[in-house]
Amino acid sequence: MSEASIDKTRRRLCSLFDFYNFKYQYSFFFPDGIEPEHFLNQAAKIKRFLRRKYKQPILLKINLSAKRGLHAYITMYAEQQLEDYKKFMELRFPGEARSRALTPEKIESTISAIMNQKPHNLSGYFKKNKVNRYTMLNSI
């Protein structure tokens, strides 16, 4: 029996947490009301900027939140602290950048959520057939 697509995505995403030793989590929230198409264009620019500025592996994930109306945001995980992340992001993109150190418990709860919760409906939100949930930048 073949593996379902969502199970394959979950397995691969969780394997990245096992392979890399992520110690920091970064999030970027665009202003309320950003159009989904514009979000995807800005996310592509963010990927390019991050890939060039930071020469370390970064897991970039697109999420949806229902707080203050349904909207998308970006979460990133890194092994080392990203120098000047907040300043770097907020100078180039409209929105708010946040960061925090990860504990082993938080990593375990993140992996558990990925494995057990229903994934966000990115295709429905962005009105596209294929939207990549995550990207590994500068992977080894």
Side-chain angles (χ1 to χ4, degrees):
M1 187 171 180
S2 66
E3 183 177 30
S5 176
I6 192 60
D7 293 333
K8 183 178 179 181
T9 299
R10 286 177 172 155
R11 179 178 50 80
R12 287 183 171 180
L13 185 53
C14 288
S15 72
L16 292 173
F17 282 93
D18 289 336
F19 186 76
Y20 295 98
N21 187 18
F22 296 126
K23 293 182 180 161
Y24 298 93
Q25 178 180 336
Y26 299 88
S27 298
F28 190 77
F29 300 89
F30 287 101
D32 292 343
I34 187 171
E35 293 296 320
E37 185 66 34
H38 186 60
F39 175 93
L40 291 176
N41 291 336
Q42 293 298 307
K45 288 179 184 177
I46 287 173
K47 288 176 192 177
R48 281 193 304 272
F49 278 118
L50 291 173
R51 188 176 280 126
R52 289 179 194 148
K53 176 150 176 76
Y54 303 109
K55 301 300 180 197
Q56 66 167 303
I58 299 172
L59 171 60
L60 187 140
K61 205 172 135 224
I62 295 176
N63 302 301
L64 296 178
S65 175
K67 294 177 184 176
R68 303 179 327 258
L70 189 63
H71 65 278
Y73 66 97
I74 296 171
T75 303
M76 294 158 275
Y77 299 92
E79 293 179 318
Q80 300 162 8
Q81 204 165 8
L82 303 180
E83 296 296 322
D84 300 325
Y85 164 77
K86 184 174 176 61
K87 181 180 171 187
F88 175 76
M89 292 295 287
E90 290 179 353
L91 281 175
R92 287 161 181 76
F93 302 98
E96 180 185 355
R98 296 183 190 166
S99 64
R100 69 176 174 183
L102 288 174
T103 63
E105 294 81 19
K106 179 58 182 163
I107 293 171
E108 287 301 317
S109 71
T110 299
I111 291 170
S112 177
I114 291 168
M115 292 305 290
N116 298 316
Q117 294 178 1
K118 185 178 177 183
H120 300 145
N121 183 3
L122 297 180
S123 296
Y125 178 77
F126 290 109
K127 310 276 190 280
K128 289 188 166 233
N129 287 337
K130 177 145 173 60
V131 177
N132 292 333
R133 270 177 211 291
Y134 67 93
T135 304
M136 196 63 211
L137 306 176
N138 301 327
S139 60
I140 53 175

